[in-house]
Amino acid sequence: MKREEIKVCILRVGGTNCDAETQTAFEALGVQAEVLHVNEVVKRRNLLEYDALVFPGGFSFGDYVRAGVIWAKWILAKLGKELKSFVEEGRPILGICNGFQVLVEAGFLPAFEGITPYPEAALATNYPPGYNCRWVYIKHENSGKCIFTWKIPKGRVLRMPVAHSEGRFLFPKEKERQFLERLYENDQLVFRYSDKNGDYAEGSFPINPNGSFHDIVGICNPEGTVFGLMPHPERAFYWWQQPDWTRQMLMPQCGDGKLIFESLVEYLEKKF
Amino acid sequence: MNVGLYIHKNTPFPLFEINLREASRQQLLVISQELGLGLNLQEMETVQQYFRGKRRNPTDVELQTIGQTWSEHCFHKTFKGIIKFKGKEIDSLFKTYIMKATKEIDPRWCFSVFEDNAGIIRFDKDYGIAVKVETHNHPSAIEPFGGAATGVGGVIRDILGVWADPIACTDVLGFGPLSYPYEKLPQGVKHPRYIYMGVVAGIGHYGNNMGIPTVNGAIYFDESYTGNVVVYCGCIGVLPLKKFKRNAKPGDIIVLAGGKTCRDGIHGVTFASAELTEKSEEVSRPAVQIANPIEEEKLKRAIIAIRDRELASAITDLGGGGLSSAVGETAKRFNCGAVVWLEKVPLKYPGLAPWEIYISESQERMLLAVPPENLGHVLEVFREEDVEATAIGKYTEDEILQLFYMDEKVAEIDISFLFEPPRVVRAAEYESLKFEEPNFPKPKNLTEILMRLLASPNVASRESVIRTYDHEVKGNTVLKPLHGEYGGPNDAAVLKPLKDSWRGIAVSCGMNPSYGRIDPYWMAASAIDEAIRNNVAVGGRRIALLDNFTWGSPEKPERLGSLVRACEACYRFAKAFKTPFISGKDSLYNESPLGPVTPTLLITAIGIVPDVRIAVSMDVKTPGNSIYIVGRTYRELGGSEYYRLNGFIGNSVPKVRPGQARRTFKALIQAIDLGLVSACHDLSEGGLAGAVAEMAFSGGYGAEIDLRKVPVDNLKRDDFVLFSESNSRFLVEVPEKCERDFEAVMRGAVCAKIGKVTKTPRLCVYGLNGDVVVDAAISELLACWKSLLSEGV
């Protein structure tokens, strides 16, 4: 598939607010990226016209009840069938921040044995509590299955900003070990919080900014085609978005977030 | 209630006729008070005359409409009134000082100033920048979270109200000392820590939820803010200038869009135009509105879509005064009348009287004027975004405001009368307060003093607050409020609003309340200088200013006198710096049982950075680079943080020398454009010592400076050189290879090389006799600076 033929759909609903910069990132790579209100998608039923789907960051429906849960249930009720075929056909879905919360609440992640009717994990309120906006280091853990990070060598440390108050990744206490093992077995673990040298945070704040279990930043489904993460790659796309670009002699010429978008686009170019 | 004054009309809904025509002067005041109109006797008599002329009594709807429109909050009576000061008459502070400066400077890049909800200046050939800063002091004192959140919501609507897309927010806050003893708090005054936590959370809640980054701000602690919290919320937007529509005409439909109307925010403006008392909580709690940022986010999407499709002919926000001021002001502006059917206004719950519907300040609502042929399209756009929108009336040929409720006419007022309240005449006097200049020996250990200063409330890092605000959503924040790994305090934020352009906006502020206690004139001058120099420090130029006054009751002559002094300085220095005012707002009546607020003027500066790639941050970059000081240091420690630390106020308040300052700013901008500057930081609270420490630990390197090389005026003490807060000064890091060029560019400005960046991570200062007077590890200084508010909120 030619790059300029790739069509990415960025979904939004009341409260979504990171759609524009996500669109900018895709457009900068030369693919078509459209921001669509879900009302529009429900009306047109055209989800399968797109090659990839993005749930961007924001506060969908005000994040009342639990972050992402209302949008997750809403979209399953209205577009459940289409979404499931989208995943089954191996078309990629990316969830950033609120989007990650939506994918977990909808049972699309971790989805050890396929999409589940109830969530198997949670993005709980941060510990220490409260909204936190800061740049963090994340270490790539995936061995190559995740199509959103296949270009990134395993063990490489990237830098991106987080901005959320509900990002503490948790498994049910009694299944914690078992689920973690499965993440490793299936190569579903994608990023963990670390310091800039790649030493894991081991839960210490602010290296791990939200108290996530096992320093988990983001995971993918067993097929590697659905991926969610708390940090914002779209805000770490250009070099001038980095928090210390004025010390530029030490800086790379683009932000690390670009690697995620590039991985996806190049995957689509090859695969389809 | 006085029987006989109020006549219950025979309607299926609550409506009263007020027997105004026959009311005595005493009764007029009773009516004003009982209905919460906030009108004085002169105003009530004017209203009485008007209705006598009409040969009928007014309804409650009419009186409430007049009360709202004539309130200090909506009409700015004091700023537009006549002030008797020192034997002369000032005909409107606003025209005489603020607007006059702008008119005389008359820059071509001002697109629309002092006309709309926000000032608009040109950004480039196609785009404009809209800016507005609001005060939300009174509501935040009663209900800190809601007050601050709706402050942000309100100022964002001001930006939407000129068809601009909001791209960033600012917040400047003033609190009483967080350690204020509980037992000293009078009845009805909430503890500063409670207010602080609520306000900070409220601001974050609104901005974060709407996805608008909060990029610049400040927090001040002052005793006088204990009873009068200060909350300034600002918003910046961009708009394609050719989509700016402002041409409503008779026949256009009035569309109300957004949240439903209910009883929150009744009498908000009259509440804001009175002093806070111990009863405020009880009486005025309903005046504070409830915030719902998601509603406003949807509203924003719809409005931008309507703008882009050019479907509406005018827009305004619903803020203070609710529908009453939005409908009245637009009708006035377009020389129309208006008819509104109040029963069409969507309500959250039934039972509101017509007057309540008309003046409610419920949040997240906007008013649009729509040509009838576009009405269907406009309603469709709102529907697509899940936003409720309703046609509630229309503009008419006659210049009369008519309100109906269920076919009953409940109000009919001439627009001309509504906007010609009697002019207020107030007396002002000013007597300069004399604080003694302290006389104390130079402390032995200046290192320790510096550490205490860095940890003091007005200097310490605001990181724990700033982290709770999303400052980079939208991905346009090029220079962030927290810079690099150590969270360095950049002087201004730089935004890159357009995808395909490197042109940027620099946002900064200046506020020096502690100078205001000594002399409001030099406080205002210093605030202007500080806002400008913060902007210049990152590479901003072509600067526009916004003024926001927080003052005590203007009915007290000495408070008004100090306001006049501040306005005089605003005119003189805005003119001298050629920086026009483009918008502003005043909040008066900031008085509580603990006394009046310290006169506080916030100046917000909006500059242009022609190419964001030249923006300069404040952290030192490379060991071996030289450190220069730009600007002269005077013996100006009055109101300084150093004096405060020692328990003094002093009298030697920093002055502004505009000729010298302008040369300095101009030369520095040239040096930045030529790429000669690696880092630049303004000198403010904490003086030279504070600035050099911040630059060093934010860059992770040490610094060595020599006080003997600092250009001073009659200063013989190390501590005074280190901590003086003279205006118009910067510290600049210059690479060795650029030194000659830098010095050449700076010729004409006061500038001297005073030291260098060192690899050893220590700050080392040599005193006036050559001894080491400060020596500390930068990690220790950083820890002090981050210690105060680190427990978070």
Side-chain angles (χ1 to χ4, degrees), chain B residues 256-262 323 341-349 352 357 362 365 388-392:
Chain B
L256 176 66
K260 286 186 195 292
T261 301
C262 58
L323 274 173
W341 297 281
L342 289 171
E343 76 278 3
K344 291 188 191 272
V345 174
L347 303 180
K348 203 177 265 178
Y349 38 74
L352 271 70
I357 297 173
S362 292
R365 298 181 303 160
E388 190 165 6
T390 319
I392 60 161

Side-chain angles (χ1 to χ4, degrees), chain B residues 696-714:
Chain B
F697 57 61
S698 300
Y701 294 116
E704 223 174 70
I705 59 166
D706 188 340
L707 298 188
R708 286 170 299 189
K709 298 188 176 151
V710 177
V712 295
D713 180 88
N714 189 26

Side-chain angles (χ1 to χ4, degrees), chain B residues 165-236:
Chain B
D165 193 0
I167 59 162
C169 286
T170 65
D171 65 291
V172 175
L173 313 172
F175 304 103
L178 296 184
S179 54
Y180 199 88
Y182 273 93
E183 54 281 8
K184 271 174 68 188
L185 281 179
Q187 191 100 37
V189 175
K190 296 185 169 67
H191 193 272
R193 184 168 285 274
Y194 173 79
I195 295 188
Y196 167 81
M197 290 170 69
V199 166
V200 167
I203 288 178
H205 173 69
Y206 216 99
N208 295 349
N209 277 256
M210 266 202 80
I212 300 174
T214 304
V215 298
N216 183 260
I219 299 177
Y220 280 81
F221 294 97
D222 186 280
E223 282 272 332
S224 80
Y225 296 155
T226 307
N228 309 282
V229 58
V230 176
V231 176
Y232 292 119
C233 306
C235 187
I236 297 145

Side-chain angles (χ1 to χ4, degrees), chain B residues 264-298:
Chain B
D264 64 321
I266 299 264
H267 283 152
V269 298
T270 25
F271 156 61
S273 310
E275 294 177 20
L276 289 172
T277 65
E278 63 177 87
K279 289 225 177 75
S280 293
E281 167 87 38
E282 216 175 297
V283 178
S284 303
R285 183 61 189 77
V288 185
Q289 309 93 359
I290 298 162
N292 180 2
I294 300 306
E295 184 66 38
E296 193 148 306
E297 202 276 330
K298 296 188 288 182

Side-chain angles (χ1 to χ4, degrees), chain A residues 12 37 39-40 43, chain B residues 255 257 298 301-303 305-306 309 311 368 370 373-391:
Chain A
R12 74 175 175 93
H37 196 289
N39 286 352
E40 194 65 26
K43 209 158 67 186
Chain B
V255 173
K298 296 188 288 182
R301 302 261 186 180
I303 285 168
I306 290 166
R309 292 170 60 187
L311 294 173
L368 284 84
V370 180
E373 64 273 20
N374 293 345
L375 183 63
H377 297 298
V378 165
L379 297 180
E380 176 61 24
V381 172
F382 281 115
R383 200 160 34 239
E384 278 169 12
E385 294 292 341
D386 296 331
V387 175
E388 190 165 6
T390 319

Side-chain angles (χ1 to χ4, degrees), chain A residues 12 15-17 19 21 27 39 59 62 131-135 163 196 235 239-241 243 245-247, chain B residues 208-209 211 294 297 301 384-386 467-468 470 472 474-475 478 480 483-485 499 617 619-620 699:
Chain A
R12 74 175 175 93
T16 301
N17 60 36
D19 45 308
E21 52 269 44
E27 287 178 350
N39 286 352
F59 289 77
Y131 195 88
N132 206 310
C133 174
R134 66 169 68 239
W135 283 69
K196 65 178 153 190
R235 297 186 200 174
W239 56 268
W240 49 264
Q241 290 171 322
W245 65 268
T246 54
R247 311 172 72 79
Chain B
N208 295 349
N209 277 256
I294 300 306
E297 202 276 330
R301 302 261 186 180
E384 278 169 12
E385 294 292 341
D386 296 331
R467 294 258 179 246
T468 68
D470 195 336
E472 39 199 337
K474 290 184 189 296
V478 178
K480 304 172 205 299
H483 191 79
E485 210 173 325
K499 242 189 262 188
S617 62
D619 50 329
V620 295

